[in-house]
């Protein structure tokens, strides 16, 4: 069957001001209705873009990228639909939308200044916006000359890419506008196109959609003075319905298909582009990286060992070899810039009194990271493997999650923005959704129920992460009783269910920062609150990475603040008595008093070791060296605790069971854990020592094994 | 995976490892790959654990002061850390307007000084300006001085009341009750002064007569200090903890003869942990209470008992909770009876509560002797008649024998009243007797525990 119609104007839930459509359901229904393409044109934003693009392609549907913008020439802004034909159009749209947030917000509404369009319409198709577009307003106000003059302007801005948009959704003024528009189109030789300004999928969703709009606008549903801007016909009409509706204007439908044909944006997703590190003195990044790493290692080695000792040369040989090996892999994978950027902001933080954590995740396995000061633990001393972090046989982005003292984290982010340019650095959006409790309160309000009534229902919803209305009704007998017995409660909850989980607002991701190699809008549209300087990407953290940006996690760790404050107190006292200040990085890791404290499990307030279950494990295990503390954290998880592994470990350590190795060759690998296989690194080393795997190959084997046991929780980061 | 095994075994046999051993080791690896932990992460984070442990071992006061400060807005955490300070024998000095900083600090005697930031209802801005003014103009002399130097916008009556109840103003007066009584006058005085200042500024020619205010207000009468109960409640409300005492103390001695187990012993008694038949009693103040729906229906309650030396969370299952729910409330002193068990899931000792008693309940059931101390002097001022009347009122179906320890002129005798004098030793009875005889120590309860 020939394609007869494509929806080119449609609001998803991400429009925030209206829109009830969830991406997945949209894709499903579009396919079911036999339409090969669909556009998403959220109000002034591209929040949903990546999700929509992926979902559509996944279902064999052509995604058309666009927005429904507000454009202002004089006083009042008017609507305009912009659709991307190609990548250049997508870039232009990204810039326009970003600019409307950064510079054009009025009463919370991001507005594109008409002047900005000049020179930035390449690759964009414009639909006139119907009744609420500039031309629509002029026509309805009986100013045909004005309309003609503006039309000339629009045609010049969008040559062969401007369409007069008409609708039949049962709203006032539509037919009058349509007649005038058709007349103008014929006279000026401009094509017309039909849209349905879709805001929900089914006709029956109209009431829920009205409720959503009321929640956003702070209105009450049955307030007679409330503006009625929507009609129940703004659902996803089928091509057949559209054909019947526009039987008199078949070209308006044909043009929708034509436009869909003209829009062909191919996004390259999943290819990350690293920013360049500004290398001083004309050196190339790779050699600068190597020089820095070697210098860093030199510094570390002189603190680890006595450089005048006869065995120094022998001892450092291992380190030099490992460094050379790692440098080779990092350069070959193209990540020197990443390492240099991370090392740079960590150095800045340390120099400016912002405490930095020793590195979380697998980064501590890299000697280069240790040499550059990114991590703070000698990986060779603890058998930490580089391949666990970067596997040359499985290319993936490196990921250092860096902990900072809560108090100083924002200063480091500020430094990064200064260093790489404010137009290249931003934080990342999160899209908040309507949670069970809040949606009940919101819906109760728009239904006009008294506060006490709504409060009583809302309070019955348990305070749990991930609670839904369905779960709440299942769990709470009282709520179920009300739901089943009270009509008003049932109506409220049923309506709330339809809105539950919809996108509600935009927030800021806790620690994520992106640093772009060029201006941010080459990768993601931007968002900010009106009057707020802090910019976030419109894409959330997964989408922003899919769009090619590299995310750096700046996490806040309270314990670092505690350590910092403690050291401050100590050093104040030491200053008074003329003692040298304490350097927490230089304390010996075999201190007897510390282990006495641990063995007596007096570990309240000691990081990671303070829970009562952990105290009991410590009491039984009696840790007496640093390796034992490493083991404690690894052992204290449901898997090891339930499998008997912990008891085995303790018995061996306490000498109640013999320390055995599955093969004599594994003695070195398994010695720190008394013969028990506790770490992923050990699994890798076994494959290396016993069966000749490369560590990269061993990492692949480990991943395969770990995946098979989906019940395991081995992945820490 | 079969293919991986083949590669592994082949590689291993090339290295002179037997195929069978290789396959066995492959099994082991497969098993542990599921549990295996990322050592890089574990090691890096272990370093942070080690550093905090090292600081706690070598600089306990500095460390705990930092820990307390970091969670000073979360009362439940502060309570735990203060408990830990007590256990570590770190002296904890109460908040003091003339000494405290915003955060917890360490004093010259290695005592931890309460931070003003931990007082509830006191905003950061108010604290900063208090400290700022102290640095600028020196220590605060008395309540009038404080009110005068702080603008009322920053330090209103409600905030000042909180400061008094927390003990932060103890240095500015003889006791908290007196400070509270003087507060209205001090505020009024400060307001008059600032009004006069303003008037003085507006009136260039000094024509408007200023109200006459004494430069130094007259000394005012002293008021008797609040009862211990009231003082402690004030601390609890403003600091979240009982700082200068513990409500449980007043019954601690009485319960000693009931042989309730000390909560701290219970927490640390992991030796007992698998002994399920060990029935025992524990007593304490309910410091927290939460309930949730049980899987099998009804509500399950978790209460934390505090006996001033230790804390224990006990779980009360629906049947038991339902039976005793009117007794179970925050700030109640309760005795719980049950057996000790090991909670496999949380890896802790658990007391499985079978029965909950409040003070009157436990006394009615287990108190065997009411010991009354009398002396000649008391008898001469005529306590015997009211004493008999009070005892008679509480006879009920009591099983508690009344013993009288009489000290006369040069003689002392202990005698047991007849069984028709047996009483029900309620809180009301004890209170009346203690009021009559002027002293807590004059009236004691003794328990018989053989029937437990």
């Amino acid at each position: 069957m020939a394609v007869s119609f494509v929806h080119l104007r449609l609001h998803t839930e991400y429009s925030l001001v209206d829109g009830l459509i969830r991406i997945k359901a949209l894709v499903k229904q579009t396919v079911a209705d036999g339409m090969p393409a669909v556009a998403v044109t959220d109000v002034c934003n591209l929040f949903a873009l990546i999700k929509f693009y992926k979902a559509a392609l996944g279902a064999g549907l052509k995604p058309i990228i666009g927005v429904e913008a507000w454009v202002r020439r004089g006083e009042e802004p008017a609507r305009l639909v912009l659709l991307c034909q190609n990548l250049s159009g997508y870039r232009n749209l990204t810039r326009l939308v970003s600019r409307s947030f950064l510079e054009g917000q009025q009463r919370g509404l991001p507005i594109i200044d008409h002047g900005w369009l000049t020179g930035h319409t390449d690759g964009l198709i414009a639909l006139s916006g119907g009744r609420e577009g500039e031309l629509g307003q002029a026509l309805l106000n009986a100013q045909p000359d004005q309309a003609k003059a503006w039309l000339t302007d629009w045609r010049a801005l969008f040559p062969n890419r401007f369409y007069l948009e008409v609708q039949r959704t049962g709203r006032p003024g539509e037919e009058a506008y349509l007649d005038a528009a058709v007349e103008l189109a014929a006279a000026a030789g401009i094509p017309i196109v039909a849209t349905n300004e879709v805001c929900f999928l089914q006709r029956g969703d109209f009431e829920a959609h009205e409720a959503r709009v009321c929640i956003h606008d702070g209105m009450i549903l049955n307030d007679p003075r409330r503006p009625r801007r929507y009609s129940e016909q703004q659902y996803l009409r089928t091509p057949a319905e559209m054909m019947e509706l526009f039987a008199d204007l078949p070209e308006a439908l044909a043009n929708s298909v034509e436009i869909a044909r003209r829009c062909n944006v191919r996004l390259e997703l999943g290819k990350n582009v690293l920013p360049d590190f500004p290398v001083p003195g004309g050196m190339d990044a790779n050699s600068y990286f190597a020089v820095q790493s070697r210098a860093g290692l030199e510094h570390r080695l002189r603190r680890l060992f006595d450089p005048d000792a006869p065995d120094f040369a022998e001892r450092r040989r291992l380190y030099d070899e490992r460094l050379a090996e790692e440098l080779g892999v990092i350069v070959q994978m193209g990540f020197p810039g990443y390492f240099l950027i991370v090392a740079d902001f960590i150095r800045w933080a340390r120099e400016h009194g912002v405490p930095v954590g020793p590195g979380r995740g697998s980064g501590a396995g890299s000697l280069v990271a240790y040499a550059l000061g990114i991590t703070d633990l000698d990986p060779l001393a603890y058998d930490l493997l580089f391949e666990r972090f970067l596997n040359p046989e499985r290319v993936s982005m490196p990921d250092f999650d860096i902990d900072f003292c809560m108090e100083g984290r924002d200063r480091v982010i500020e430094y990064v923005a200064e260093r790489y340019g404010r137009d290249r650095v931003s934080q990342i959006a999160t899209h908040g959704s309507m949670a069970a409790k809040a949606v009940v309160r919101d819906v109760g309000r728009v239904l006009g129920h008294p506060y006490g009534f709504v409060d009583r229902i809302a309070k019955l919803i348990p305070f749990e992460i991930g609670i839904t209305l369905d779960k709440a009704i299942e769990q709470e007998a009282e709520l179920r009783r009300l739901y089943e017995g009270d009509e008003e409660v049932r109506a409220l909850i049923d309506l709330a269910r339809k809105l539950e989980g919809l996108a509600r607002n935009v927030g800021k991701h806790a620690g994520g920062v992106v640093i772009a190699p060029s201006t941010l809008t080459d990768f993601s549209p931007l968002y900010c609150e009106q009057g707020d300087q802090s910019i976030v990407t419109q894409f959330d953290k997964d989408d922003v990475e899919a769009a090619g940006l590299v995310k750096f996690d700046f996490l806040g760790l309270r314990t670092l603040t505690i350590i910092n404050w403690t050291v401050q107190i100590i050093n104040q006292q030491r200053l008074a008595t003329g003692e040298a200040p304490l350097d927490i990085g230089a304390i010996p890791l075999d201190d007897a008093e510390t282990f006495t404290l641990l063995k007596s499990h007096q570990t309240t307030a000691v990081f990671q070791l303070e829970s009562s279950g952990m105290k009991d494990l410590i009491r039984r295990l009696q840790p007496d060296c640093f390796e034992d503390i490493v083991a404690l954290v690894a052992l204290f998880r449901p898997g090891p605790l339930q499998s008997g592994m912990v008891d085995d470990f303790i018995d061996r350590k306490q000498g109640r069971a013999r320390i055995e190795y599955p093969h004599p060759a594994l003695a070195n690998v398994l010695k720190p854990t008394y013969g028990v296989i506790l770490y992923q690194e050990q699994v890798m080393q076994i494959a290396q020592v016993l069966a000749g795997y490369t560590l990269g190959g061993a990492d692949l084997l480990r991943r395969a094994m770990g995946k098979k046991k989906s019940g395991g929780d081995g992945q820490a980061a | 995976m079969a293919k991986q095994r083949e590669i592994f075994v082949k590689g291993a046999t090339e290295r002179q490892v037997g195929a069978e051993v290789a396959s066995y080791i492959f099994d082991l690896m497969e098993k542990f790959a599921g549990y295996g932990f990322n050592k890089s992460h574990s090691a890096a984070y272990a370093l942070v654990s080690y550093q905090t442990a090292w600081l706690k071992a070598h600089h306990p006061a500095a460390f705990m002061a930092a820990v307390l400060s970091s969670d000073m807005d979360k009362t439940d955490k502060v309570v735990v850390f203060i408990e830990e300070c007590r256990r570590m024998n770190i002296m904890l000095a109460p908040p003091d307007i003339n000494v405290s900083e915003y955060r917890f600090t360490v004093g010259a005697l290695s005592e931890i000084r309460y931070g003003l930031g931990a007082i509830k209802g006191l905003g950061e801005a108010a604290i900063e300006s208090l400290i700022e003014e102290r640095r600028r103009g020196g220590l605060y002399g008395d309540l009038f001085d404080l009110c005068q130097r702080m603008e009322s916008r920053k330090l209103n009556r409600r905030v000042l009341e909180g400061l008094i109840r927390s003990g932060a103003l103890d240095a500015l007066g003889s006791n908290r009750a007196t400070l509270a009584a003087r507060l209205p006058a001090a505020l009024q005085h400060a307001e008059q002064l600032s009004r006069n200042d303003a008037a003085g500024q507006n009136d260039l020619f000094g024509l408007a007569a200023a109200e006459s205010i004494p430069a130094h207000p007259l000394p005012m009468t002293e008021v008797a200090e609040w009862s211990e109960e009231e003082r402690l409640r004030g601390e609890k409300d403003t600091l979240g903890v009982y700082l200068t005492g513990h409500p449980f103390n007043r019954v601690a001695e009485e319960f000693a003869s009931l042989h309730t187990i000390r909560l701290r012993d219970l927490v640390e008694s992991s030796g007992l942990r698998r002994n399920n038949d060990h029935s025992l009693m524990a007593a304490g103040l309910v410091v927290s209470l939460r309930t949730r729906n049980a899987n099998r229906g009804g509500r399950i309650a978790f209460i934390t008992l505090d006996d001033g030396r230790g804390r224990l969370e006990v779980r009360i299952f629906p049947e038991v909770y339902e039976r005793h729910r009117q007794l179970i409330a925050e700030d109640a002193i309760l005795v719980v009876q049950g057996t000790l068990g090991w909670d496999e899931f949380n890896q802790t000792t658990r007391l499985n509560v079978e029965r909950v008693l409040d003070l009157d309940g436990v006394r009615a059931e287990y108190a065997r002797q009411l010991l009354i101390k009398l002396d000649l002097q008391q008898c001469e001022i005529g306590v015997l008649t009211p004493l008999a009347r009070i005892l008679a009122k509480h006879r009920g179906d009591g099983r508690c024998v009344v013993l009288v320890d009489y000290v006369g002129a040069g003689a002392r005798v202990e005698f047991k009243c007849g069984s028709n004098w047996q009483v029900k030793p309620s809180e009301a009875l004890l209170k009346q007797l203690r009021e009559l005889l002027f002293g807590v120590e004059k009236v004691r309860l003794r328990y018989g525990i053989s029937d437990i």
Side-chain angles (χ1 to χ4, degrees), chain A residues 5 7-9 81 127-132 136 139 163-169 171 173-185 190-197 237 242 245-246 248-253 255-256 259:
Chain A
F5 177 73
H7 282 286
L8 296 177
R9 185 163 174 184
V81 177
L127 316 189
S128 69
R131 290 172 308 145
E132 292 183 288
L139 292 174
Y163 291 78
L164 273 173
E165 183 189 4
V166 295
Q167 294 171 348
R168 279 177 171 151
T169 58
R171 289 181 289 175
E174 275 180 353
E175 279 309 307
Y177 160 72
L178 188 139
D179 292 342
V182 170
E183 195 180 315
L184 178 65
I190 282 279
I192 57 167
V193 64
T195 66
N196 203 48
E197 207 181 327
R237 282 184 153 136
M242 290 302 284
L245 204 58
F246 285 94
D248 55 334
L249 277 175
E251 71 269 29
L253 301 181
N255 281 334
S256 75
I259 291 171

Side-chain angles (χ1 to χ4, degrees), chain B residues 58-360:
Chain B
H58 291 270
H59 304 276
F63 177 71
M64 290 310 292
V67 166
L68 277 161
S69 299
S70 84
D71 273 324
M72 66 202 297
D73 52 341
K74 298 188 198 90
T75 305
D76 53 331
K77 293 268 184 84
V78 169
V79 170
V80 174
F81 295 142
I82 283 179
E83 200 52 47
E84 181 68 0
C85 288
R86 288 185 177 143
R87 197 197 54 72
M88 293 162 76
N89 292 321
I90 296 172
M91 218 163 60
L92 187 70
D96 183 334
I97 191 87
N98 276 333
V99 182
S100 290
E101 299 292 329
Y102 183 77
R103 299 207 293 248
F104 288 78
T105 51
V106 178
L109 304 170
S110 288
E111 82 280 13
I112 292 180
R113 172 68 62 179
Y114 228 92
L116 295 177
I119 301 174
K120 286 184 195 172
L122 201 53
E124 189 164 353
I127 298 171
E128 293 301 339
S129 58
L130 266 175
I131 294 172
E132 181 65 24
E133 170 57 26
R134 187 175 79 203
R135 280 202 192 107
R136 192 196 62 79
L139 301 186
Y140 298 104
D142 57 21
L143 192 60
F144 286 84
D145 184 36
L146 173 67
C147 293
Q148 209 172 305
R149 284 161 64 184
M150 293 303 299
E151 289 170 63
S152 60
R153 267 186 298 115
K154 285 181 181 149
L155 223 56
N156 60 30
R157 173 190 296 256
R158 191 184 50 77
V159 170
L160 281 158
E161 277 167 0
L163 279 169
I164 292 170
R165 296 180 75 213
S166 75
L169 303 192
D170 283 3
L172 307 186
S174 56
N175 64 46
R176 295 178 196 176
T178 302
L179 286 165
R182 284 181 180 181
L183 183 57
L187 281 168
Q188 200 185 5
H189 179 75
E191 201 184 315
Q192 279 174 356
L193 280 177
S194 82
R195 253 209 315 272
N196 278 8
D197 273 1
Q201 279 161 13
N202 294 338
D203 178 14
L204 280 175
F205 303 99
L207 295 176
E211 289 174 64
S212 83
I213 302 166
H216 240 295
L218 298 169
M220 300 176 74
T221 44
E222 297 287 323
V223 180
E225 176 60 312
W226 289 328
S227 70
E228 173 160 37
E229 235 175 311
E230 188 172 1
R231 196 186 73 237
L232 290 178
R233 192 173 318 117
E235 293 174 4
K236 178 84 192 291
D237 289 348
T238 53
L239 304 174
V241 290
Y242 303 109
L243 206 55
T244 59
H246 195 283
F248 189 78
N249 287 349
R250 83 188 162 89
V251 292
E253 198 208 66
E254 175 184 329
F255 281 1
S257 74
L258 184 63
H259 292 269
T260 54
I261 187 160
R262 293 200 317 188
L263 298 176
R264 197 207 296 175
D265 294 342
L266 202 54
V267 172
E268 288 168 9
S269 68
S270 21
L272 290 167
R273 66 194 171 83
R274 279 174 219 279
N275 182 352
N276 283 314
D277 315 318
H278 198 87
S279 175
L280 47 80
M281 286 211 263
L285 184 81
V286 179
V287 288
S288 86
L289 159 67
R290 64 196 168 85
T291 61
R292 66 167 170 79
N293 282 343
N295 294 336
R296 293 171 290 140
R299 292 195 82 77
I300 189 164
F302 297 86
I303 61 173
T304 303
L305 292 176
D306 182 329
D307 64 4
R309 285 146 192 264
R311 286 177 168 221
L312 177 74
E313 187 184 71
V314 297
R315 182 172 46 181
I316 304 176
F317 284 116
E319 318 78 80
V320 181
Y321 180 60
E322 206 44 57
R323 227 179 311 136
H324 301 292
R325 71 187 298 168
Q326 71 286 355
L327 303 180
I328 300 170
E330 269 185 41
D331 286 322
I333 290 175
L334 295 181
V335 176
V336 294
Q337 222 175 317
T339 55
L340 217 50
W342 177 245
D343 180 341
E344 199 63 48
F345 183 74
N346 290 305
Q347 298 283 306
T348 61
T349 315
R350 277 272 190 201
L351 185 65
N352 301 314
V353 177
E354 283 143 18
R355 203 154 165 245
V356 179
L357 296 158
D358 66 356
L359 266 182
D360 281 351

Side-chain angles (χ1 to χ4, degrees), chain A residues 278-326:
Chain A
V279 177
M283 217 187 267
D284 79 279
N286 290 350
S287 19
Y288 179 74
F289 172 60
V291 168
Q292 289 288 306
S293 302
R294 285 196 201 101
L297 180 64
E298 198 62 42
H299 180 73
R300 291 284 196 192
L301 287 175
R302 280 170 192 282
R303 276 183 74 163
L304 285 178
F305 308 117
D306 174 9
D308 298 324
D311 64 343
F312 181 65
E314 177 56 25
R315 294 186 95 156
R316 69 168 297 155
R317 199 173 51 81
L318 278 175
Y319 286 81
D320 289 331
E321 283 171 10
R322 165 96 167 243
L323 192 83
E325 220 171 284
E326 288 191 19

